[in-house]
Amino acid sequence: DRSPSRGLGDVYKRQVENRRRELMSDLTHELRTPLTVVRGYLEELADGSISPSTELYQNLIKETRRLERLTDDLQELSKAEAGYLSITLIPLSLLGLLQSLIEKFSDQLLEDGPVLELIYPPDIPLALADSDRTEQILVNLMGNALRYTKKGSITVEVSRSKNQVWIAIKDTGIGISEADLPYIFERFWRADRSRASYSGGSGIGLAITRRLVELQNGKIEVESELGKGSIFRFSLPLA
Ligand code: ADP
């Protein structure tokens, strides 16, 4: 059964309410920190105990940006979890999409940074997938690979199994420890606090990514070794 509505089956719908509840409590927690910081500064400005400075305003902007990013990410995630994201499954040719993303990301690479390459078999089969959502998945995974890889390579590799086409994003970056791997797709999860400030990430990207893969009836897997690199791979059904 490859009908577009399969990802929104009954079991899935029953879990939605629970997920939304969890999401609300996570959200409250994540929003509190920047809000507290902003209110603190504003109160001190108001009573004159600190004076305005460029640095202070920059801090306020930073915290506000964080709130913005968080709400954007959350909107995407809650749409994906509740099945509100429109998913239109069509026979999709992956090569054009992958080539244009490789080109786009190549522009962001530094001279001495990692090389970015695409490996694919001569006849990539058509996937039954949604073009925009597939792009979103790739942007998230390639963006992470770039963020956590200072040198070496980032390889996007397409392969096919019996009923699926697989896309793997391999990097030679900082990697993820074995203890952390099971939690990597949890929302708000980050390998450590320092990474969050390093990446400016909210730890929602992979939760969204997994949901987008599942909504297209695919699977997502990760392999990683600390200090060596990571492989994120996801499947899409064949058209
Ligand atoms: P964030 O927005 O914080 O990057 P994600 O959900 O995309 O959130 O990723 C969650 C965490 O997983 C990241 O904070 C990082 O610790 C780890 N991670 C994700 N991708 C990679 C990668 N390619 N290499 C190393 N660590 C990664």
Side-chain angles (χ1 to χ4, degrees), residues 8 12 16 19 74-85 207-209 211-212 215:
L8 316 174
Y12 186 76
V16 165
R19 290 213 181 99
L74 275 160
Q75 189 174 35
E76 282 301 300
L77 178 64
S78 73
K79 276 200 250 170
E81 296 210 331
Y84 295 152
L85 275 187
I208 294 177
T209 302
R211 195 58 61 206
L212 292 174
L215 282 170

Side-chain angles (χ1 to χ4, degrees), residues 19-33:
R19 290 213 181 99
R20 290 187 77 82
R21 219 171 289 137
E22 274 172 49
L23 191 63
M24 291 311 284
S25 98
D26 289 346
L27 169 62
T28 316
H29 176 79
E30 286 291 309
L31 290 178
R32 189 166 288 134
T33 312

